[in-house]
Amino acid sequence: MLPLLASLPILLAIILMVVVMWPAKKVMPLAWLLAVIIAATAWQMPIDWIAGASIFGALSGFNILVIVFGALLLMNTLKNSGAIKTINATFNGISPDRRVQVVIIAFLFGAFIEGAAGFGTPAALAAPLMVGLGFPPLAAASVALIANSAPVSFGAVGTPIIGGVAAVLDLPLDSAELAGIGLWAAIPHSIAALIVPVVVVGVMVRFFGENRSWKDLGPAVPFAVFAGATFAVPYILIAAFIGPELPSLLGGLIGLGISIPAARAGFLVPKDTWEFANRSKWDSAWVGVKELLPTEEELEQAKTQKMADLPISPMKAWTPYILVSAILVFTRVIGPLQSFLSGLTITIPDILGTGLTFNFAWAYLPGTVGFMLVAIICIPLLSFGSKAKETWIATFKQIIPAAIALFFAVGMVQVMLNSGNYPGATVDGMMVALSGAAAAAFGGIWPIFAPFIGNLGAFMSGSNTVSNILFSAFQEGVALEAGIATTVIGGAQVAGAAAGNMICVHNVVAACTTVGVLGMEGRVIRINLIPSLIYTLMVGVIALIGVGIV
């Protein structure tokens, strides 16, 4: 009975957003309220703990909001300064084919940013960039989330494994078990990396193309697989022989370094250029905030305009993204700098006496040290002073609806997580009850089901790292009980959680906000659900094969 009750807030959120098509800002307060009622009655969770967990969740949601605000601010800055016109022209110079552009930006550029920063940053950065190039905003949000899957388990310089698995299982960073878990997470991801770019193109042409046909995918498959391989090969080799810190970061960087020149040279690029239909034929749900879209005239100018005639040089226009990337890499890779910045925190300890402590690492978040800092640098760099104030004010207004959704979504998760952690609790928490019931139901085929636990954890928490913190010990316990390899099951947990990033409420809200389609979260989840589940099932099948090998 308890597992069924624990599932109700999740089911309510899914039904209202995916089926009824309510926006997250309306759904998540209701889902939070239902979780609170269930926690207070069935779990006997004290009021002070419910309030403390909800406040802690809202504060944690603020961390995500800072990243979203920073990404949106940078995008608005580039648009209002005219830099986005130059960026459009440079990408059209690589290839005017949208299928090639989406592979390079959403998959490879996103993988590099994921490796450097993680925590939802890639979709928040890549999606608005695609909108600036003329992609329908809803399409940009959806494909950016699908593309940001294989890199996630090694995102933020290996945080999901180092800060998640290793911390929970108390494994030394040089231990054979941790290396094995990293390898068995990388194996399915490297295979998926050959397929995900194809899926990204397929979703784009099928749901957002003028013909709504899979046939438009065919000519782009060779380049998509090639680009996936330029990422997957260094990715798996680095994971196997170096460690979990750099597979995504270097895999994305190497992939970009190979794929961009290849695309410029026309290698495996489709002969016929594929473009979206005229904007007058777009579904109104694709657009949202029209002010974020370049006009048709601006896009046409970008296709024909010579670089010498652009108001801002390519080097200067791309400098903000170069700075963001460099700052994120340096602050994550240089140990003393990382320690210094991450130590600059605002702490709210022992919220309402629960022991829950919120740390706001203001100097380390990508939204501040990356996006906002660069947006400030852009004021003199792009001669942007006259429009800077109105850009910041407009961005604040755009972020308000997302704040409501995020605060209640993360608050609900924290109530569910802590429902069994308060002093005197006699039963496991709501999340543990859910996973335990699933394990009992699918025990005979656990390797296949293990990644779905990871997916569920990421869907609820919005983080591969948090999913690993929640379920790594549980997964290891099930593996030991069943007498199967803990490294394979651990890898399945990590990889499954990455697939959950495609549909988790937090990331979907963040991506939709940055491209101006807040309220369309249900559509994005509905589009991305099948790729997420297929990805997770593939991880499970590989894990089933793996336990027979190890």
Side-chain angles (χ1 to χ4, degrees), residues 87 90-114 122 125-127 129-130 133 135 143-144 147-148 151 193 196-198 200-201 204 220 223-228 230-231 251-270 318:
I87 291 174
T90 58
F91 266 106
N92 284 317
I94 295 173
S95 173
D97 195 307
R98 301 299 191 180
R99 296 167 297 186
V100 174
Q101 291 177 357
V102 76
V103 170
I104 290 175
I105 299 171
F107 184 72
L108 292 176
F109 181 64
F112 169 70
I113 297 299
E114 176 65 39
L125 188 57
L129 177 54
M130 287 186 284
L133 290 169
F135 283 65
V143 298
N148 190 38
V196 168
V198 177
V200 164
V201 176
M204 183 178 72
F223 180 81
V225 174
F226 166 74
T230 65
F231 167 80
L253 187 61
I254 293 169
L256 285 169
I258 297 173
S259 295
I260 289 178
R264 285 185 183 277
F267 180 68
L268 298 179
V269 170
W318 272 104

Side-chain angles (χ1 to χ4, degrees), residues 417-473:
L417 290 178
N418 288 284
S419 55
N421 292 342
Y422 63 88
T426 57
V427 294
D428 290 330
M430 296 168 74
M431 291 294 286
V432 176
L434 271 176
S435 60
F442 296 92
I445 51 171
W446 186 253
I448 288 182
F449 195 74
F452 285 91
I453 292 291
N455 188 310
L456 174 64
F459 173 77
M460 289 302 302
S461 68
S463 167
N464 193 325
T465 302
V466 173
S467 181
N468 294 342
I469 291 171
L470 288 174
F471 296 126
S472 287

